[in-house]
Amino acid sequence: KATVSVLYCSSLNYNMPKQTLKKANKRSSHLDSRAKRAEQGKLVYKIDCSIPCSDELIDAETMKKFEAYITENLKINGKTGQLGNKVKISLNENQILITKFQVLFAKRYLKFLTRKFLKREKLRDYFRPVSNGKHEYQLRYYNIDLGDDVAEE
């Protein structure tokens, strides 16, 4: 009976609609394209801190702490702090540039690390990382409207 059911199940795969087969393979092809992009060469991510730096809420010392925090806590292949030649992190005035060479990690992971650092420095209540472009985040203030309440009174 076991061989009959196996043959029966395998025959079901041949009768599946083409759309179902495409959906099943779609996820794996997306992962393959990300891996191919990682293998192609370098990719540069930017975290722009110009708005808080212009208001002097984040100074040069805090930016150096931020760069060190990302260097220490960035996890590659399950290991933190071991970047080697695969990832380079540099500081340009009000921007942090993360250049990765043939490594696969998501841009969203940088947002996670940024939020964690802001929480640690007690700045999370004021700023949030917002995607500015395909490979860029920018720290912006939260939008709080206090003018409407004052005008009604």
Side-chain angles (χ1 to χ4, degrees), residues 42-47 67-68 70-72 74 76 82-92 95-103 105 110:
K42 72 175 189 175
L43 185 61
V44 179
Y45 290 121
K46 266 196 264 184
I47 301 174
E67 179 187 15
I70 291 177
T71 304
E72 293 167 4
L74 191 67
I76 295 178
Q82 297 181 2
L83 304 180
N85 294 332
K86 296 181 178 181
V87 177
K88 294 190 179 183
I89 299 170
S90 61
L91 180 65
N92 291 347
Q95 291 183 347
I96 292 182
L97 298 175
I98 297 110
T99 308
K100 64 179 189 172
F101 301 95
Q102 299 178 346
V103 177
F105 67 84
L110 294 175

Side-chain angles (χ1 to χ4, degrees), residues 7-135:
L7 293 173
Y8 181 71
C9 290
S10 64
S11 66
L12 284 178
N13 288 339
Y14 295 114
N15 295 331
M16 288 177 67
K18 290 181 181 178
Q19 292 176 347
T20 310
L21 290 174
K22 285 181 182 177
K23 286 182 183 177
N25 295 334
K26 189 174 185 181
R27 179 83 175 149
S28 62
S29 66
H30 176 68
L31 184 62
D32 292 342
S33 68
R34 282 182 50 202
K36 285 179 185 175
R37 262 189 282 151
E39 290 174 1
Q40 284 176 355
K42 72 175 189 175
L43 185 61
V44 179
Y45 290 121
K46 266 196 264 184
I47 301 174
D48 185 16
C49 304
S50 60
I51 293 173
C53 286
S54 65
D55 294 338
E56 298 178 1
L57 291 171
I58 294 181
D59 55 351
E61 183 179 327
T62 309
M63 288 296 289
K64 288 179 185 174
K65 282 184 192 176
F66 188 25
E67 179 187 15
Y69 181 82
I70 291 177
T71 304
E72 293 167 4
N73 293 307
L74 191 67
K75 189 182 283 191
I76 295 178
N77 297 331
K79 297 178 183 177
T80 57
Q82 297 181 2
L83 304 180
N85 294 332
K86 296 181 178 181
V87 177
K88 294 190 179 183
I89 299 170
S90 61
L91 180 65
N92 291 347
E93 293 180 19
N94 300 330
Q95 291 183 347
I96 292 182
L97 298 175
I98 297 110
T99 308
K100 64 179 189 172
F101 301 95
Q102 299 178 346
V103 177
L104 183 64
F105 67 84
K107 175 183 149 186
R108 178 108 173 106
Y109 183 53
L110 294 175
K111 183 176 185 177
F112 168 75
L113 289 175
T114 303
R115 292 174 79 181
K116 244 178 130 175
F117 176 76
L118 291 172
K119 182 77 171 179
R120 189 172 128 193
E121 294 292 318
K122 297 182 174 95
L123 295 170
R124 181 77 180 96
D125 296 333
Y126 309 109
F127 304 113
R128 62 191 178 114
V130 177
S131 179
N132 223 19
K134 192 168 184 178
H135 304 294

